[in-house]
Amino acid sequence: GAVVSQHPSRVICKSGTSVKIECRSLDFQATTMFWYRQFPKQSLMLMATSNEGSKATYEQGVEKDKFLINHASLTLSTLTVTSAHPEDSSFYICSAWGLANIQYFGAGTRLSVL
Amino acid sequence: LAKTTQPISMDSYEGQEVNITCSHNNIATNDYITWYQQFPSQGPRFIIQGYKTKVTNEVASLFIPADRKSSTLSLPRVSLSDTAVYYCLVGDGTGSARQLTFGSGTQLTVLP
């Protein structure tokens, strides 16, 4: 199956700093990637769709100036949480379409903002 | 958006067969049904996908009735390591919102 690599797996930062999370498709090209957010004991919530070479599409209620997405190549999308605050602490997961209409997910990034 | 409905939780014992049903009344003609497994602090993992009737792979079976308004994931002889949340999603693979919309999922707890 297709492999999606996400880095880092865990990050702790101080309030007010910015954090970048990388999502890579290792063995296939992904013109579109997706970013999800998951709070404890809750389901995944789609934040945005990352499109290679163009602007990301954000879901309603997601601040695009806080969650910057860059999809500069066919295998890499990045999510930058700018000026992070404790309420941004969450589990962030990326995904990409692989073969046969299947979404493949990264392992996730646990962000803790102190 | 097409919505999926699953039981919030299920308990089972080791060695038993577990069936988790998902309701998707608004499934579209081109939609596939895909099931994922998620362990705590991990990304979802693909289990199985189907369009109609029955699909089987090395870990599970997927049963889809003729009207396709529901589907059942069958896990044979579960073990403690199958304790996880299971999600069903429907969509046509074009990136439409409904295939990206996760329902509540089913928390399966396997007991010794």
Side-chain angles (χ1 to χ4, degrees):
Chain A
V3 178
V4 174
S5 174
Q6 190 171 340
H7 179 81
S9 59
R10 188 179 184 94
V11 58
I12 302 172
C13 70
K14 293 182 178 180
S15 185
T17 61
S18 295
V19 173
K20 180 184 286 188
I21 302 169
E22 292 188 348
C23 181
R24 295 180 184 272
S25 56
L26 295 187
D27 50 0
F28 65 102
Q29 294 182 334
T31 56
T32 305
M33 292 184 175
F34 306 96
W35 288 94
Y36 291 85
R37 183 174 181 175
Q38 186 175 33
F39 291 107
K41 303 296 184 182
Q42 294 188 22
S43 186
L44 284 77
M45 295 270 310
L46 180 66
M47 296 176 65
T49 300
S50 173
N51 303 298
E52 187 270 334
S54 64
K55 292 182 179 180
T57 304
Y58 291 82
E59 296 300 303
Q60 190 172 8
V62 177
E63 299 177 60
K64 59 182 178 182
D65 293 331
K66 167 166 275 298
F67 300 101
L68 299 180
I69 292 173
N70 188 316
H71 196 150
S73 78
L74 287 172
T75 59
L76 174 63
S77 174
T78 60
L79 169 68
T80 301
V81 183
T82 62
S83 187
H85 292 285
E87 58 265 30
D88 298 322
S89 298
S90 190
F91 191 56
Y92 294 87
I93 310 169
C94 69
S95 73
W97 290 115
L99 297 175
N101 303 321
I102 296 170
Q103 265 193 95
Y104 291 93
F105 291 84
T109 298
R110 174 73 60 191
L111 171 63
S112 299
V113 185
L114 304 178
Chain B
L1 296 178
K3 181 179 178 180
T4 59
T5 305
Q6 304 173 229
I8 295 296
S9 64
M10 294 181 69
D11 289 345
S12 181
Y13 291 96
E14 280 191 291
Q16 289 188 333
E17 177 184 76
V18 171
N19 297 308
I20 305 174
T21 297
C22 178
S23 172
H24 29 79
N25 291 318
N26 296 327
I27 190 168
T29 303
N30 295 331
D31 285 347
Y32 287 79
I33 301 155
T34 310
W35 284 80
Y36 293 88
Q37 174 192 58
Q38 187 183 27
F39 296 112
S41 297
Q42 294 187 26
R45 183 176 74 98
F46 170 80
I47 302 174
I48 197 166
Q49 180 179 260
Y51 183 80
K52 61 180 180 180
T53 62
K54 176 184 175 181
V55 179
T56 297
N57 62 20
E58 62 276 8
V59 298
S61 294
L62 179 59
F63 299 92
I64 306 168
D67 66 5
R68 303 199 328 122
K69 293 184 183 298
S70 67
S71 59
T72 299
L73 173 72
S74 181
L75 304 173
R77 297 179 299 282
V78 294
S79 64
L80 296 176
S81 62
D82 292 317
T83 294
V85 179
Y86 292 82
Y87 295 97
C88 75
L89 279 79
V90 295
D92 58 10
T94 61
S96 60
R98 62 179 179 273
Q99 190 159 7
L100 306 170
T101 302
F102 279 76
S104 60
T106 298
Q107 170 66 59
L108 171 65
T109 302
V110 180
L111 305 169

